[in-house]
Amino acid sequence: MIFSKIIGTGHYLPSRMVSNEELSRTLDTSDEWISSRTGIRQRHIAAADESSVDLAQRAAERALAAAGLQGSDLDLIIVATSTPEHIFPSDASQLQQRLGCRPIPAFDMQAACSGFIYGLVTADNFIRAGSCQRVLLVGCDVFSHILNWQDRNTAVLFGDGAGAVVLGASPTPGILSSVIYSDGQYCNLLQVPLNVGTAENQRSQRQPYVEMSGSEVFRRAVSALADLVTELLAKAELRPEQLDFLVPHQANARIITATAKHLNLPLEKVIMTVAEHANTSAASVPLALDVGIRRGQIQPGHRLLLEAFGAGFTWGGCVVQY
Ligand code: COA
């Protein structure tokens, strides 16, 4: 049997940091409101000429270095993003060129904040099917380009960043269980309408922005993630206390705490980066994973539960043996 294992990780954050206090100079908000409701204290914001491919490249180079590989060693590239540099070519094809890869399959995957988990399940399936040995998976997003900076309901919640993993074929399992879902009945609760597929876009000239029913998203996320983690552990035949770390999507500290509480996990077993990075969408989980590894919290052999929830709604997770 062939399995897939994470053999290298990396992340990249744009150099500019924006604090809650800085945001409160132009928005009717406060550090107190943002940090108490979300746990966010600051976020990184890309430079005007910095795209999701630029962020992806830096994270990917670090993940490849950690795996001891070069771009030419890769068999497949998947980039999870909702903010590609172009409608086409994909971020993945642009990244392939920048990393000096051979002709190999490369494609973007769009499942909003769950994109990295969708990518992980896809990469795992490619490797277990025997069609690839080494896969680069990047989650990257530049939400600062799709935020309405006058809307305090959304502008305070997001940041820019990229996280990457390299997966390699392995005789022992690295992904112990995985589950992904979508429920399209909730499409309009969290969206960035673009209408590029309709003639309306030609007429409206409307800037696409994040629109969200925050409290409804919050409620559904807490309930879906509770069911998800229970299902993931059952599939992996593990009890919560056998997990070393929860590596959750970093949207809101209160959602993360609710999931940890459902699992009866102490907060020392939760990787939390939401205070420093805010919600970086598809980058959020691999970014937190790499931070946990580079801080020395996550060690080889540890059992991790990765999960995410986002627009669609989409949600999913994997139990990983690192
Ligand atoms: N600063 C100050 N006040 C704000 C604000 C801000 N940045 N944003 C909203 N408010 C106000 C609202 O206007 C509302 O005022 P009102 O009561 O006078 O109408 C009040 O704060 C409460 O808003 P509410 O939406 O009920 O707050 P909340 O406790 O639900 O927290 C979120 C709001 C957005 C933080 C929370 O709902 C959330 O995190 N939702 C999930 C978001 C998310 O994770 N999205 C991405 C998923 S991948």
Side-chain angles (χ1 to χ4, degrees), residues 28-30 33-34 37-38 113 152-153 156-158 190 212 214-218 249 251-252 254-255 279 309-311:
D28 181 15
T29 189
S30 64
W33 192 96
I34 302 168
R37 301 288 179 118
T38 69
C113 296
R152 68 177 184 174
N153 291 297
V156 303
L157 301 176
F158 297 93
L190 178 52
M212 182 179 69
S215 52
E216 190 69 2
V217 174
F218 187 96
H249 175 45
N252 185 314
R254 291 188 293 143
I255 299 177
N279 182 351
F309 182 92

Tab-separated table of all heavy atoms in Angstrom, residues 28-30 33-34 37-38 113 152-153 156-158 190 212 214-218 249 251-252 254-255 279 309-311, ligand 1:
chain	number	residue	atom	x	y	z
A	28	ASP	N	-15.125	52.805	12.227
A	28	ASP	CA	-15.809	52.949	13.513
A	28	ASP	C	-15.702	51.616	14.273
A	28	ASP	O	-16.645	50.831	14.311
A	28	ASP	CB	-17.271	53.329	13.257
A	28	ASP	CG	-18.034	53.507	14.558
A	28	ASP	OD1	-17.381	53.625	15.614
A	28	ASP	OD2	-19.279	53.515	14.503
A	29	THR	N	-14.508	51.359	14.799
A	29	THR	CA	-14.252	50.117	15.530
A	29	THR	C	-13.194	50.390	16.592
A	29	THR	O	-12.747	51.528	16.748
A	29	THR	CB	-13.802	49.003	14.547
A	29	THR	OG1	-13.759	47.772	15.234
A	29	THR	CG2	-12.435	49.285	13.935
A	30	SER	N	-12.820	49.355	17.337
A	30	SER	CA	-11.812	49.550	18.391
A	30	SER	C	-11.038	48.249	18.593
A	30	SER	O	-11.540	47.160	18.275
A	30	SER	CB	-12.501	49.930	19.705
A	30	SER	OG	-13.309	48.850	20.127
A	33	TRP	N	-13.136	45.947	20.762
A	33	TRP	CA	-14.211	45.197	20.100
A	33	TRP	C	-13.610	44.038	19.299
A	33	TRP	O	-14.049	42.894	19.422
A	33	TRP	CB	-15.034	46.098	19.156
A	33	TRP	CG	-16.307	45.429	18.692
A	33	TRP	CD1	-17.550	45.563	19.231
A	33	TRP	CD2	-16.447	44.471	17.620
A	33	TRP	NE1	-18.455	44.767	18.572
A	33	TRP	CE2	-17.807	44.079	17.576
A	33	TRP	CE3	-15.568	43.900	16.706
A	33	TRP	CZ2	-18.309	43.164	16.647
A	33	TRP	CZ3	-16.064	42.969	15.794
A	33	TRP	CH2	-17.420	42.612	15.763
A	34	ILE	N	-12.599	44.341	18.487
A	34	ILE	CA	-12.059	43.297	17.591
A	34	ILE	C	-11.429	42.168	18.403
A	34	ILE	O	-11.705	40.985	18.169
A	34	ILE	CB	-11.006	43.882	16.611
A	34	ILE	CG1	-11.613	45.000	15.773
A	34	ILE	CG2	-10.445	42.785	15.701
A	34	ILE	CD1	-10.600	45.825	14.980
A	37	ARG	N	-14.149	40.080	20.423
A	37	ARG	CA	-15.094	39.276	19.612
A	37	ARG	C	-14.401	38.229	18.752
A	37	ARG	O	-15.029	37.260	18.337
A	37	ARG	CB	-15.912	40.173	18.672
A	37	ARG	CG	-16.739	41.246	19.320
A	37	ARG	CD	-17.934	40.649	20.046
A	37	ARG	NE	-18.711	41.698	20.682
A	37	ARG	CZ	-19.963	41.984	20.399
A	37	ARG	NH1	-20.618	41.282	19.494
A	37	ARG	NH2	-20.580	42.943	21.039
A	38	THR	N	-13.127	38.461	18.420
A	38	THR	CA	-12.484	37.573	17.435
A	38	THR	C	-11.142	36.998	17.882
A	38	THR	O	-10.670	36.018	17.312
A	38	THR	CB	-12.200	38.329	16.111
A	38	THR	OG1	-11.165	39.294	16.347
A	38	THR	CG2	-13.423	39.039	15.592
A	113	CYS	N	-12.251	29.193	2.444
A	113	CYS	CA	-11.358	28.935	3.582
A	113	CYS	C	-11.068	27.445	3.777
A	113	CYS	O	-10.138	27.081	4.491
A	113	CYS	CB	-11.940	29.526	4.860
A	113	CYS	SG	-12.076	31.319	4.794
A	152	ARG	N	-16.874	47.750	8.437
A	152	ARG	CA	-16.247	47.255	9.678
A	152	ARG	C	-16.635	45.804	9.977
A	152	ARG	O	-15.949	45.115	10.737
A	152	ARG	CB	-16.609	48.148	10.860
A	152	ARG	CG	-18.069	48.090	11.249
A	152	ARG	CD	-18.353	48.934	12.471
A	152	ARG	NE	-19.744	48.793	12.888
A	152	ARG	CZ	-20.252	49.314	13.969
A	152	ARG	NH1	-19.488	50.037	14.756
A	152	ARG	NH2	-21.519	49.133	14.279
A	153	ASN	N	-17.755	45.340	9.392
A	153	ASN	CA	-18.187	43.951	9.634
A	153	ASN	C	-17.221	42.924	9.043
A	153	ASN	O	-17.172	41.783	9.504
A	153	ASN	CB	-19.572	43.710	9.013
A	153	ASN	CG	-20.642	44.475	9.751
A	153	ASN	OD1	-20.880	44.225	10.922
A	153	ASN	ND2	-21.249	45.443	9.074
A	156	VAL	N	-12.107	44.035	9.378
A	156	VAL	CA	-11.242	43.770	10.538
A	156	VAL	C	-10.862	42.289	10.660
A	156	VAL	O	-10.008	41.936	11.482
A	156	VAL	CB	-11.931	44.227	11.856
A	156	VAL	CG1	-12.291	45.705	11.777
A	156	VAL	CG2	-13.164	43.394	12.176
A	157	LEU	N	-11.515	41.421	9.868
A	157	LEU	CA	-11.415	39.981	10.143
A	157	LEU	C	-10.309	39.245	9.385
A	157	LEU	O	-9.920	38.155	9.775
A	157	LEU	CB	-12.747	39.285	9.785
A	157	LEU	CG	-13.997	39.773	10.526
A	157	LEU	CD1	-15.221	39.048	9.992
A	157	LEU	CD2	-13.850	39.542	12.024
A	158	PHE	N	-9.825	39.846	8.297
A	158	PHE	CA	-8.972	39.073	7.388
A	158	PHE	C	-7.556	39.638	7.279
A	158	PHE	O	-7.320	40.815	7.543
A	158	PHE	CB	-9.611	39.024	5.986
A	158	PHE	CG	-10.944	38.318	5.967
A	158	PHE	CD1	-12.126	39.030	6.114
A	158	PHE	CD2	-11.010	36.946	5.822
A	158	PHE	CE1	-13.362	38.382	6.109
A	158	PHE	CE2	-12.239	36.283	5.814
A	158	PHE	CZ	-13.412	37.004	5.956
A	190	LEU	N	-22.039	34.060	2.781
A	190	LEU	CA	-20.636	34.489	2.747
A	190	LEU	C	-20.220	34.420	1.283
A	190	LEU	O	-20.114	33.334	0.725
A	190	LEU	CB	-19.796	33.544	3.623
A	190	LEU	CG	-18.290	33.763	3.698
A	190	LEU	CD1	-17.943	35.196	4.058
A	190	LEU	CD2	-17.667	32.824	4.729
A	212	MET	N	-20.839	39.267	4.132
A	212	MET	CA	-20.988	38.163	5.093
A	212	MET	C	-22.066	38.442	6.141
A	212	MET	O	-22.171	39.551	6.644
A	212	MET	CB	-19.643	37.970	5.808
A	212	MET	CG	-19.654	36.829	6.795
A	212	MET	SD	-18.050	36.620	7.584
A	212	MET	CE	-17.980	38.079	8.553
A	214	GLY	N	-22.232	37.631	9.487
A	214	GLY	CA	-21.258	37.138	10.469
A	214	GLY	C	-21.818	36.194	11.514
A	214	GLY	O	-21.269	35.110	11.743
A	215	SER	N	-22.944	36.582	12.153
A	215	SER	CA	-23.424	35.763	13.264
A	215	SER	C	-23.944	34.411	12.772
A	215	SER	O	-23.793	33.386	13.435
A	215	SER	CB	-24.473	36.512	14.089
A	215	SER	OG	-25.464	36.986	13.243
A	216	GLU	N	-24.545	34.412	11.559
A	216	GLU	CA	-25.060	33.153	10.983
A	216	GLU	C	-23.886	32.224	10.622
A	216	GLU	O	-23.928	31.017	10.870
A	216	GLU	CB	-25.886	33.489	9.731
A	216	GLU	CG	-26.668	32.348	9.150
A	216	GLU	CD	-27.822	31.895	10.031
A	216	GLU	OE1	-28.068	32.489	11.093
A	216	GLU	OE2	-28.444	30.910	9.657
A	217	VAL	N	-22.821	32.816	10.035
A	217	VAL	CA	-21.633	32.017	9.692
A	217	VAL	C	-21.059	31.430	10.979
A	217	VAL	O	-20.704	30.240	11.038
A	217	VAL	CB	-20.565	32.890	8.981
A	217	VAL	CG1	-19.278	32.103	8.755
A	217	VAL	CG2	-21.087	33.418	7.650
A	218	PHE	N	-20.984	32.246	12.001
A	218	PHE	CA	-20.432	31.815	13.288
A	218	PHE	C	-21.187	30.588	13.812
A	218	PHE	O	-20.601	29.562	14.166
A	218	PHE	CB	-20.544	32.981	14.281
A	218	PHE	CG	-19.870	32.729	15.591
A	218	PHE	CD1	-18.574	33.178	15.818
A	218	PHE	CD2	-20.509	32.030	16.613
A	218	PHE	CE1	-17.936	32.946	17.029
A	218	PHE	CE2	-19.888	31.792	17.812
A	218	PHE	CZ	-18.594	32.245	18.030
A	249	HIS	N	-8.633	26.083	11.416
A	249	HIS	CA	-8.761	27.312	10.630
A	249	HIS	C	-8.835	28.489	11.605
A	249	HIS	O	-9.514	28.419	12.625
A	249	HIS	CB	-10.040	27.223	9.794
A	249	HIS	CG	-10.347	28.463	9.026
A	249	HIS	ND1	-9.384	29.142	8.315
A	249	HIS	CD2	-11.508	29.158	8.855
A	249	HIS	CE1	-9.946	30.197	7.732
A	249	HIS	NE2	-11.227	30.227	8.054
A	251	ALA	N	-10.173	31.643	12.016
A	251	ALA	CA	-11.104	32.728	11.679
A	251	ALA	C	-11.468	33.537	12.907
A	251	ALA	O	-11.544	34.757	12.850
A	251	ALA	CB	-12.366	32.161	11.037
A	252	ASN	N	-11.697	32.833	14.008
A	252	ASN	CA	-12.186	33.508	15.208
A	252	ASN	C	-11.809	32.641	16.410
A	252	ASN	O	-12.123	31.444	16.435
A	252	ASN	CB	-13.718	33.658	15.107
A	252	ASN	CG	-14.298	34.449	16.255
A	252	ASN	OD1	-13.957	34.222	17.420
A	252	ASN	ND2	-15.176	35.367	15.932
A	254	ARG	N	-13.069	32.426	19.201
A	254	ARG	CA	-14.222	31.825	19.895
A	254	ARG	C	-14.696	30.557	19.177
A	254	ARG	O	-15.163	29.621	19.809
A	254	ARG	CB	-15.356	32.843	20.009
A	254	ARG	CG	-15.021	33.990	20.985
A	254	ARG	CD	-16.222	34.872	21.219
A	254	ARG	NE	-16.594	35.607	20.036
A	254	ARG	CZ	-17.850	35.877	19.650
A	254	ARG	NH1	-18.871	35.448	20.365
A	254	ARG	NH2	-18.096	36.567	18.567
A	255	ILE	N	-14.581	30.518	17.841
A	255	ILE	CA	-14.942	29.288	17.104
A	255	ILE	C	-13.927	28.186	17.445
A	255	ILE	O	-14.290	27.034	17.702
A	255	ILE	CB	-14.963	29.534	15.565
A	255	ILE	CG1	-16.010	30.590	15.205
A	255	ILE	CG2	-15.215	28.222	14.809
A	255	ILE	CD1	-16.070	30.953	13.712
A	279	ASN	N	-7.742	36.062	9.794
A	279	ASN	CA	-8.192	34.971	8.925
A	279	ASN	C	-7.535	35.117	7.549
A	279	ASN	O	-7.867	36.037	6.799
A	279	ASN	CB	-9.718	35.021	8.811
A	279	ASN	CG	-10.282	33.897	7.952
A	279	ASN	OD1	-9.538	33.170	7.298
A	279	ASN	ND2	-11.596	33.763	7.952
A	309	PHE	N	-13.500	25.723	7.829
A	309	PHE	CA	-14.898	26.007	7.464
A	309	PHE	C	-14.902	27.300	6.658
A	309	PHE	O	-14.196	28.243	7.008
A	309	PHE	CB	-15.731	26.192	8.739
A	309	PHE	CG	-17.190	26.439	8.481
A	309	PHE	CD1	-18.087	25.383	8.441
A	309	PHE	CD2	-17.666	27.730	8.266
A	309	PHE	CE1	-19.444	25.603	8.189
A	309	PHE	CE2	-19.015	27.965	8.005
A	309	PHE	CZ	-19.906	26.896	7.976
A	310	GLY	N	-15.683	27.345	5.588
A	310	GLY	CA	-15.702	28.582	4.813
A	310	GLY	C	-16.901	28.690	3.895
A	310	GLY	O	-17.869	27.920	3.990
A	311	ALA	N	-16.812	29.659	2.983
A	311	ALA	CA	-17.926	29.980	2.088
A	311	ALA	C	-18.352	28.757	1.295
A	311	ALA	O	-17.558	27.880	0.967
A	311	ALA	CB	-17.524	31.107	1.147
B	1	COA	N1	-16.357	47.130	15.369
B	1	COA	C1	-17.341	47.525	16.177
B	1	COA	N2	-18.599	47.066	16.085
B	1	COA	C2	-18.846	46.156	15.131
B	1	COA	C3	-17.853	45.698	14.237
B	1	COA	C4	-16.579	46.233	14.388
B	1	COA	N3	-15.547	45.856	13.599
B	1	COA	N4	-18.400	44.792	13.413
B	1	COA	C5	-19.705	44.670	13.744
B	1	COA	N5	-19.969	45.515	14.790
B	1	COA	C6	-21.230	45.697	15.473
B	1	COA	C7	-22.409	45.291	14.630
B	1	COA	O1	-22.759	46.363	13.771
B	1	COA	C8	-23.457	45.039	15.676
B	1	COA	O2	-24.010	46.272	16.079
B	1	COA	P1	-25.583	46.405	16.426
B	1	COA	O3	-25.814	45.410	17.542
B	1	COA	O4	-25.697	47.817	16.804
B	1	COA	O5	-26.277	46.020	15.162
B	1	COA	C9	-22.662	44.500	16.868
B	1	COA	O6	-21.298	44.866	16.628
B	1	COA	C10	-22.752	43.006	17.084
B	1	COA	O7	-22.594	42.373	15.850
B	1	COA	P2	-22.651	40.809	15.758
B	1	COA	O8	-22.505	40.426	14.330
B	1	COA	O9	-23.840	40.281	16.509
B	1	COA	O10	-21.369	40.410	16.593
B	1	COA	P3	-20.792	38.974	16.846
B	1	COA	O11	-20.561	38.786	18.290
B	1	COA	O12	-21.553	37.911	16.103
B	1	COA	O13	-19.355	39.053	16.166
B	1	COA	C11	-18.240	38.444	14.136
B	1	COA	C12	-19.259	39.363	14.801
B	1	COA	C13	-18.154	38.787	12.662
B	1	COA	C14	-16.897	38.648	14.809
B	1	COA	C15	-18.684	36.978	14.338
B	1	COA	O14	-20.025	36.854	13.985
B	1	COA	C16	-17.873	36.034	13.543
B	1	COA	O15	-16.709	35.825	13.804
B	1	COA	N6	-18.488	35.362	12.568
B	1	COA	C17	-17.814	34.407	11.752
B	1	COA	C18	-16.990	35.131	10.764
B	1	COA	C19	-16.078	34.223	10.057
B	1	COA	O16	-15.418	33.453	10.671
B	1	COA	N7	-16.070	34.352	8.733
B	1	COA	C20	-15.215	33.617	7.926
B	1	COA	C21	-15.562	32.187	7.973
B	1	COA	S1	-14.401	31.329	7.064
